[in-house]
């Protein structure tokens, strides 16, 4: 990571939440992130419990979400193509209940051949909920806040420049709903998200440094300023989303 951090603002609107919502939206809301488990179960403002089946594959942390490979982390999975929602669930954490146990995995890939509701687990995660020889088992699952600590990170795709700029958000507690940048006139501009999990401004965002506004699926908002363009690299944000409870 490189570049100077700017100011950050977290605003919790979380209109869809039931119960306690997303907290105050301040830096203190992330104080639980080092506990190793999502706060209060970490439900991300969605009460729906999904059902389907779990299978497994040789996952290494990379995939259609365009994250870096991390073979040492078994707690990853690929989401069925319907719930993948054109990369909208990339980086989301999912709590899964299986026949023999419960786990939390992070979505890093899509599974085009999986019916809606199904999740393809890594070979390391599957044995935590069922015997490997079964191959396919019924599951129920829900989205939860990831137990991450530290601020979000902006990853600029290879080839990014002032004339074509592709940005990915990493290290987020909750799924990302949108990314905007502030143009030369001081207006926020929404950036389309591609299936590759990059937000791409085809006409570029200018030379930087940038002001970004990121909104999660719970309605919480982070604003960062003075984010440098780091082609094929990362620049840190200054804040993190609060975990929903």
């Amino acid at each position: 990571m490189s570049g100077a951090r700017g100011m950050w603002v977290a605003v919790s609107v979380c209109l869809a939440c039931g119960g306690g919502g997303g907290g105050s939206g301040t830096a203190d809301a992330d104080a639980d992130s080092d506990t190793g488990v999502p706060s209060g179960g970490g439900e991300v403002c969605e009460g729906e419990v999904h059902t389907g089946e779990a299978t497994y594959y040789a996952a290494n942390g990379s995939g259609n979400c365009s994250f870096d490979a991390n073979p040492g982390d078994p707690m990853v999975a690929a989401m069925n193509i319907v719930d993948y929602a054109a990369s909208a669930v990339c980086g989301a954490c999912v709590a899964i209940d299986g026949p023999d146990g419960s786990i939390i995995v992070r979505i890093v890939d899509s599974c085009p051949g999986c019916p809606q509701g199904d999740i393809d687990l890594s070979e390391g995660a599957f044995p935590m909920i069922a015997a490997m020889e079964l191959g396919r088992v019924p599951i129920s699952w829900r989205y939860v806040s990831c137990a991450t600590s530290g601020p979000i990170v902006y990853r600029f795709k290879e080839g990014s420049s002032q004339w074509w700029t592709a940005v990915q958000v990493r290290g987020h507690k909750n799924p990302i709903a949108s990314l905007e940048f502030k143009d030369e006139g001081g207006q926020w501009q929404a950036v389309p998200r591609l299936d590759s999990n990059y937000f791409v401004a085809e006409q570029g965002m200018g030379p930087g440094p940038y002001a970004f506004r990121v909104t999660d699926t719970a309605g919480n908002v982070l604003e960062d300023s003075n984010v440098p363009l780091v082609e094929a690299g990362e620049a840190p944000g200054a804040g993190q989303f609060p975990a929903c409870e």
Side-chain angles (χ1 to χ4, degrees):
M1 300 179 188
S2 61
R5 296 186 192 178
M7 65 78 141
W8 76 278
V9 179
V11 181
S12 177
V13 295
C14 206
L15 298 178
C17 286
S24 65
T26 66
D28 290 341
D30 193 44
D32 66 323
S33 61
D34 291 323
T35 63
V37 294
S39 171
E43 189 173 340
V44 183
C45 298
E46 182 199 70
E48 181 181 1
V49 176
H50 305 258
T51 58
E53 294 184 315
T55 49
Y56 62 86
Y57 74 114
N60 67 1
S62 64
N64 289 335
C65 289
S66 304
F67 297 138
D68 297 333
N70 184 12
D73 178 13
M75 307 311 291
V76 295
M79 182 64 78
N80 70 80
I81 199 65
V82 176
D83 290 315
Y84 182 74
S87 81
V89 301
C90 284
C93 287
V94 176
I96 301 174
D97 294 320
D100 298 331
S102 300
I103 57 173
I104 295 177
V105 296
R106 186 171 61 94
I107 303 302
V108 299
D109 202 356
S110 66
C111 179
C114 293
Q116 185 173 9
D118 285 11
I119 297 179
D120 206 13
L121 301 175
S122 72
E123 291 176 320
F126 190 91
M128 300 181 186
I129 64 164
M132 287 286 282
E133 57 266 24
L134 294 177
R136 180 182 296 273
V137 295
I139 57 171
S140 61
W141 56 273
R142 62 178 181 144
Y143 294 107
V144 299
S145 293
C146 297
T148 186
S149 61
I152 62 171
V153 172
Y154 301 100
R155 204 278 177 180
F156 291 86
K157 188 174 177 63
E158 294 78 1
S160 289
S161 68
Q162 62 178 308
W163 300 285
W164 181 88
T165 317
V167 184
Q168 180 185 88
V169 183
R170 295 184 174 183
H172 43 87
K173 273 189 178 295
N174 306 326
I176 302 300
S178 65
L179 179 141
E180 303 163 274
F181 77 98
K182 190 173 288 188
D183 64 19
E184 293 181 351
Q187 300 299 309
W188 290 110
Q189 301 294 331
V191 185
R193 186 183 201 169
L194 305 187
D195 286 359
S196 63
N197 192 34
Y198 273 95
F199 294 89
V200 179
E202 293 290 349
Q203 305 305 314
M205 299 180 185
Y210 306 115
F212 287 138
R213 183 164 68 185
V214 185
T215 305
D216 71 8
T217 52
N220 302 301
V221 178
L222 295 177
E223 291 183 12
D224 276 303
S225 63
N226 203 32
V227 178
L229 171 60
V230 185
E231 192 267 336
E234 297 180 347
Q240 178 60 260
F241 297 109
C244 284
E245 297 180 351

